[in-house]
C-alpha cells in the first residue's frame, strides 16, 4: 500500500502511532534507529508548575493565562536526571528530543543499546519509530492543473491574483478590508520542506518585516528548512503570500514558525513523533495556530498500519499530540485527507483529534471535491469540521510561480490563515470559542454531515454573529458606528468585552443587565475611559437572553446577548 502522507504530498504536487508501536520488534543489532522511550514518572523533577517560565516562553504563558488554562504536571519537561541516565549508557545513545506531554524521549541507538535503555528502572517501555534509512530524493517539480479544472476560479480582483476565489469564499478579503490580516498572530506550519521560501518575491515581506519567528527541522535535527519537499512551500504561500497584483494569502501579516516534520521518502511513526515534538515546540514558543497538511493511515512494512477503528481520537501519536495542543490553547487546523475515492475512504490522523479543525476540500462553487476524505471519526464524531477551497486552489511553487493544485493539503492553510485573522479580530475568545464561532455560523451549521462537516465558514458571518450591533458589511466595512456592541456573544461565563461608541467614552458609565422580563440581574459602575473596548465581569448568569444597558447621563445604549 502507498504510505498515506507521502501519497498526499505527491497527490498535491502532481495535481496542482503509538498504539501500533507498542511491543514492535527491535531493529537489527548494529543498525541505528530512532526509538520512543517512555519514562515511568516525573518524580524528583527540578521543574515546577509554579515556575512555568523555566520551560515556557512569556508568550506561551500569556496565551494560557488569557484563556484560563493552568500549567499542569503533564507540561513539565522530562526529568533531566532520567535523560542523563540514558546518555550515560555504553553504546553512545543520542537523545534527539524529549516530549513533555508523553513523558518520553526520542533516542537514536542500535538494538543492543535499546535493551540497556529499557532495563533502566526509570524507563517504562520503548517502541521503534523508523525501519529504514533512505537517501533523500530530489524535490519533484510541481505540475500545474490544466486551466479547465479551475472551474471559475479566475481572479476577479486584481490585487489578489489567482488566490482571490479561495480567499473571498471564506470572507478573507473582507477580513483584510476590516483591518485583520493576521498581525501579531503566530502560525506554525508543519510540513515536508520549504524550498524557495526565502527567495520567493511574494513571501519576502515575511523577512523584511521580521515575521519569521523560527525554523525547525525535526527530520534532520537542525534548523535548515529551505530544502526537502516543496509541499510546505505551497501550503505556506496560501497563508503568507503578500504581493499585491500577483498573489495575497489569507493571513499575509502573520508571524510564522516553519517546522519540517515529514520525510516523504518513507512512512513510519517517527514522523508522528516529529509532529509531537513540533507541537510541543509550538506550545512553548507561544504559537496561536498550527496548520498541518499531513496525515497518517498506512506505514511502510514492517511498521504496523492503522485501521479505521484507530481513527478514534485517542490512538495515533499525532492525534494525541493534536489533542494536547488544543488543550493548551492553540487552534489546530489539520487537513482531513485525500482518501475520498480510495479504499481507505475516511479521515486520517491527526484529523480525528478532538477539539481541532479538520478541513475538507471544496471547489470555488462550494461543491465537495471528490477526493476529500469522509468522516465520521471511528467513535462517531462529526468529521471533517469545516471546508475550504482545495480543488484548483492557487499556491506558489519554489520558483515563485503560481499554479493550481488539488488537495485538502491546500484547503487547510487557506482556512488556517482566516482562523488567525478571525482570532485577531476577536482577541478575547479562547481557542475553543474561535472554533465554535466559525462552526456555528458555517454554511451547514444547521445540518452538518460527514463529508463537509459544518460547511464553509465565512469571516463576516462569524464576526457579525459576535457583534450584532456593530456588524461588518460584505466588504468588511463596519456598521452602526454609534451603537454599543459586546463580545463574545453568546457568552459562557459572564466575562464580556464592551465596544463603546464615542458617545459613551471619557465619562463615568453605569452598566445594567436586564433579563427577558426586564428585571435588573446585575449592575456596576465603570470608570471613564477613552478606549473603544472595555472588559467587564458580570459573574455567572443563568442561561437565557439578556439586555446590556450602558448609560452616561442622558446618553444610553443597549445591546442584547445570550448567556449559554
Amino acid at each position: 500500500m502507498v504510505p498515506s502522507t507521502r501519497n498526499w504530498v505527491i497527490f498535491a504536487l502532481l495535481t496542482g502511532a503509538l498504539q501500533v508501536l507498542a511491543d514492535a520488534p527491535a531493529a537489527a543489532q548494529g543498525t541505528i534507529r530512532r526509538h520512543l522511550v517512555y519514562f515511568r514518572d516525573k518524580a524528583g523533577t527540578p521543574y515546577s508548575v509554579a515556575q512555568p517560565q523555566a520551560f515556557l516562553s512569556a508568550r506561551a504563558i500569556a496565551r494560557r493565562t488569557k484563556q484560563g488554562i493552568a500549567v499542569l504536571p503533564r507540561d513539565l519537561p522530562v526529568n533531566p536526571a532520567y535523560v542523563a541516565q540514558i546518555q550515560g549508557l555504553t553504546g553512545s545513545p543520542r537523545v534527539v528530543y524529549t516530549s513533555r506531554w508523553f513523558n518520553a524521549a526520542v533516542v537514536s541507538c542500535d538494538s543492543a543499546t535499546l535493551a540497556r535503555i529499557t532495563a533502566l528502572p526509570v524507563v517504562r517501555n520503548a517502541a521503534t519509530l523508523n525501519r529504514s534509512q533512505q537517501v533523500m530524493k530530489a524535490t519533484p517539480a510541481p505540475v500545474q492543473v490544466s486551466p479547465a479544472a479551475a472551474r471559475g476560479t479566475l481572479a476577479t480582483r486584481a490585487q489578489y491574483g489567482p488566490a482571490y476565489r479561495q480567499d473571498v469564499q471564506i470572507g478573507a478579503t473582507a477580513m483584510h478590508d476590516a483591518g485583520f490580516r493576521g498581525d501579531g498572530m503566530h502560525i506554525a506550519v508543519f510540513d515536508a520542506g520549504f524550498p524557495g521560501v526565502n527567495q520567493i518575491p511574494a513571501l519576502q515581506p515575511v523577512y523584511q518585516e521580521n515575521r519569521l519567528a523560527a525554523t525547525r527541522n525535526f527530520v534532520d535535527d537542525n534548523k535548515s528548512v529551505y530544502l526537502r519537499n516543496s509541499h510546505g512551500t505551497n501550503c505556506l504561500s496560501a497563508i503568507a503570500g503578500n504581493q499585491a497584483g500577483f498573489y495575497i494569502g489569507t493571513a499575509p501579516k502573520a508571524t510564522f514558525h516553519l517546522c519540517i516534520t515529514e520525510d516523504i521518502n518513507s512512512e513510519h511513526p517517527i514522523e508522528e513523533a516529529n509532529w509531537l515534538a513540533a507541537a510541543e515546540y509550538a506550545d512553548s514558543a507561544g504559537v496561536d495556530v498550527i496548520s498541518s497538511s499531513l496525515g497518517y493511515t498506512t506505514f511502510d512494512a514492517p511498521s504496523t498500519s492503522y485501521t479505521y477503528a484507530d481513527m478514534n481520537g485517542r490512538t495515533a501519536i499525532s492525534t494525541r499530540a493534536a489533542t494536547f495542543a488544543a488543550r493548551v490553547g492553540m487552534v489546530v487546523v489539520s487537513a482531513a485527507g485525500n482518501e475520498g475515492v480510495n479504499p481507505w475512504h475516511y479521515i486520517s490522523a491527526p484529523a480525528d483529534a478532538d477539539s481541532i479543525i479538520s478541513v475538507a476540500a471544496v471547489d470555488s462553487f462550494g461543491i465537495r471535491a471528490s477526493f476529500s476524505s469522509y468522516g465520521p471519526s471511528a467513535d462517531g464524531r462529526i468529521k471533517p469540521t469545516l471546508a475550504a477551497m482545495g480543488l484548483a486552489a492557487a499556491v506558489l511553487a519554489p520558483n515563485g510561480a503560481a499554479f493550481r493544485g488539488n488537495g485538502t493539503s491546500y484547503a487547510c492553510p487557506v482556512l488556517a490563515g482566516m482562523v488567525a485573522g478571525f482570532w485577531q479580530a476577536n482577541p478575547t475568545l479562547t481557542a475553543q470559542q474561535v472554533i465554535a464561532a466559525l462552526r456555528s455560523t458555517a454554511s451547514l451549521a444547521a445540518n452538518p454531515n460527514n463529508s463537509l462537516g459544518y460547511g464553509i465558514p465565512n469571516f463576516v458571518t462569524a464576526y457579525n454573529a459576535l457583534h450584532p450591533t456593530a456588524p461588518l458589511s460584505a466588504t468588511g466595512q463596519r456598521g452602526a458606528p454609534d451603537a454599543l456592541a459586546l463580545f463574545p456573544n453568546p457568552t459562557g461565563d459572564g466575562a464580556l468585552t464592551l465596544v463603546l461608541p464615542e458617545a459613551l467614552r471619557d465619562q463615568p458609565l453605569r452598566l445594567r443587565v436586564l433579563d427577558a422580563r426586564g428585571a435588573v440581574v446585575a449592575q456596576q459602575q465603570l470608570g471613564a475611559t477613552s478606549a473603544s473596548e472595555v472588559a467587564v465581569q458580570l459573574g455567572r448568569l443563568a442561561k437565557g437572553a439578556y439586555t446590556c444597558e450602558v448609560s452616561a447621563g442622558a446618553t444610553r445604549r443597549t445591546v442584547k446577548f445570550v448567556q449559554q
Side-chain angles (χ1 to χ4, degrees), residues 84-132:
Q85 288 187 42
I86 291 178
Q87 293 173 325
L89 294 172
T90 58
S92 301
R94 184 171 69 92
V95 176
V96 183
Y97 45 78
T98 59
S99 168
R100 294 181 284 116
W101 296 338
F102 281 46
N103 193 25
V106 171
V107 181
S108 177
C109 65
D110 63 16
S111 60
T113 306
L114 179 63
R116 288 188 283 273
I117 292 172
T118 56
L120 291 172
V122 300
V123 171
R124 177 161 58 90
N125 56 32
T128 299
L129 292 169
N130 63 329
R131 296 286 170 178
S132 60

Side-chain angles (χ1 to χ4, degrees), residues 533-545:
E533 296 184 359
V534 58
V536 296
Q537 182 69 47
L538 300 177
R540 186 64 188 175
L541 301 173
K543 293 182 178 180

Side-chain angles (χ1 to χ4, degrees), residues 463-471 480 483-487 489 559-561:
Y463 182 92
N464 288 349
L466 297 177
H467 307 274
T469 61
L484 175 70
L486 60 77
F487 60 91
N489 187 13
V559 59
K560 295 185 181 297
F561 70 97

Side-chain angles (χ1 to χ4, degrees), residues 350-370:
D352 64 312
D354 187 19
S355 306
I356 75 167
I357 297 175
S358 306
V359 188
V362 296
D363 67 9
S364 62
F365 298 108
I367 299 172
R368 178 187 166 274
S370 61

Side-chain angles (χ1 to χ4, degrees), residues 287-328:
V287 163
D288 302 299
V289 178
I290 292 174
S291 178
S292 171
S293 293
L294 303 169
Y296 303 94
T297 60
T298 308
F299 296 117
D300 295 339
S303 294
T304 305
S305 297
Y306 291 122
T307 66
Y308 170 59
D310 295 318
M311 301 296 106
N312 56 16
R314 58 183 181 274
T315 296
I317 182 173
S318 57
T319 297
R320 295 163 61 194
T323 300
F324 277 125
R327 297 290 185 266
V328 298

Side-chain angles (χ1 to χ4, degrees), residues 148 154 159 162 210 220 346 411 448 496 503 554:
L154 295 178
Q159 71 212 69
N210 296 314
D220 301 318
Y346 294 105
L496 296 171

